[in-house]
Amino acid sequence: MDLTGRVALVTGSSRGIGRSIAERYASAGARVIVHCARSHAEAMAVVRGITERGGEALALFADVEERQAVQRLFEDIDAAYGRIDVLVNCAGRNRDVPFLEMTDEDFAVTYQSQLRGTILCSQAAGRRMLSQAGGSIITIGAATGVRGRRNGANYCAAKAGVMVLTKVMALELAPTVRVNCLVPGYTETDEVLDRFNLRDPRKLAAHVSGIPLGRLALPSDIAEWALWLAAGAPHTTGQLLYVNGGAYMG
Ligand SMILES: NC(=O)c1ccc[n+]([C@@H]2O[C@H](COP(=O)([O-])OP(=O)(O)OC[C@H]3O[C@@H](n4cnc5c(N)ncnc54)[C@H](OP(=O)(O)O)[C@@H]3O)[C@@H](O)[C@H]2O)c1
């Protein structure tokens, strides 16, 4: 899979799944924009790692929950590269809380970053991709956006929104832009290991027992499919691609 010369923005790529996708894209030849809102030092470290391996990367910072910040982010990309070929919407926050205790703020934190952020970035990228006659947008859903989970009303509802949004965008941006959704199962990032206490071997074993392929996903597993969706995936749009070791068969 080759992305030589393609310009790819991976939102939320200072760590976790986004970081792995940014690094994989760079190793496939893309000019990668490493992005985050707050963790600037981590993003700069990702850029340094990519450039030390001979890749091309630039760090840009913006809160995807703010329309004007997203507008400035894409103006900076216009100034740096004059085009955008791939957008991966990885930025997102979580805040687990029992449904009856969920406040407006608990809902807003997740909804604003996961769903509205995806909308704002995809609008900005979609307009540019239509005018340059091509592009690929990738969203990140979640198995729990289909089957739900305790304490995740805000997150599961936002991810369900992202997944159906993917189909709407695929319909409206076709045939010029392909839009597809990666749906990871539990993936080994610090955020998930900490939130679900999965550094405890017994907790981890309980989770893994429900995964036919016998382990959590690695960020690099998700990155391989993100590369395939960006560089290959002929005649494919509006699809949800489950990468979860068989834990949920969509
Ligand atoms: N890990 C899993 O098991 C799993 C499973 C299914 C789906 N997902 C989804 O996959 C995506 C990545 O997950 P992850 O585990 O890699 O998360 P993570 O390690 O917590 O990384 C989140 C990234 O998003 C950025 N971010 C958060 N809010 C932002 C905002 N408002 N504006 C700009 N950047 C923002 C963070 O940077 P700053 O801190 O600097 O803002 C960071 O770079 C998320 O959408 C998550 O819901 C994860």
Side-chain angles (χ1 to χ4, degrees):
M1 290 290 159
D2 184 35
L3 286 177
T4 300
R6 307 271 190 91
V7 177
L9 166 62
V10 185
T11 71
S13 46
S14 60
R15 59 179 180 271
I17 293 172
R19 171 186 179 159
S20 199
I21 293 173
E23 291 172 344
R24 187 68 187 91
Y25 280 6
S27 75
R31 295 179 280 176
V32 177
I33 296 125
V34 176
H35 159 272
C36 69
R38 290 156 282 264
S39 47
H40 295 198
E42 285 177 85
M44 295 306 298
V46 176
V47 168
R48 269 198 307 281
I50 288 173
T51 51
E52 279 167 13
R53 290 188 291 275
E56 188 174 338
L58 167 72
L60 291 175
F61 309 115
D63 189 334
V64 298
E65 301 167 38
E66 305 284 341
R67 185 175 283 277
Q68 286 184 347
V70 170
Q71 195 175 317
R72 280 195 299 276
L73 168 66
F74 278 83
E75 286 167 2
D76 288 346
I77 295 170
D78 293 340
Y81 298 114
R83 62 183 296 108
I84 172 122
D85 300 292
V86 182
L87 165 67
V88 187
N89 290 286
C90 254
R93 294 197 275 161
N94 291 286
R95 186 183 291 179
D96 283 12
V97 61
F99 173 63
L100 294 181
E101 292 166 26
M102 185 175 65
T103 64
D104 288 349
E105 209 232 329
D106 293 329
F107 181 74
V109 158
T110 308
Y111 158 82
Q112 292 282 356
S113 60
Q114 301 275 5
L115 180 54
R116 188 156 171 275
T118 296
I119 290 172
L120 294 179
C121 292
S122 300
Q123 283 181 326
R127 287 190 193 103
R128 285 164 174 79
M129 289 172 179
L130 286 180
S131 70
Q132 74 195 20
S136 171
I137 295 175
I138 297 168
T139 60
I140 308 288
T144 50
V146 179
R147 59 179 169 80
R149 71 168 160 75
R150 288 174 188 278
N151 301 324
N154 49 2
Y155 180 79
C156 299
K159 285 303 194 188
V162 166
M163 291 190 278
V164 74
L165 169 74
T166 302
K167 294 169 186 283
V168 175
M169 294 193 296
L171 288 168
E172 294 194 16
L173 301 181
T176 308
V177 181
R178 292 184 302 109
V179 190
N180 292 289
C181 183
L182 278 170
V183 188
Y186 288 98
T187 304
E188 263 191 51
T189 65
D190 287 337
E191 196 281 322
V192 154
L193 293 177
D194 292 341
R195 188 158 45 94
F196 294 105
N197 201 11
L198 296 180
R199 297 183 207 277
D200 174 340
R202 279 182 305 182
K203 291 254 167 58
L204 178 62
H207 264 78
V208 167
S209 68
I211 303 173
L213 293 188
R215 63 170 174 83
L216 301 185
L218 299 172
S220 57
D221 297 324
I222 313 302
E224 283 308 315
W225 288 107
L227 178 59
W228 184 76
L229 285 177
H235 209 48
T236 302
T237 197
Q239 301 304 307
L240 309 179
L241 179 63
Y242 296 84
V243 186
N244 60 16
Y248 177 84
M249 302 191 188

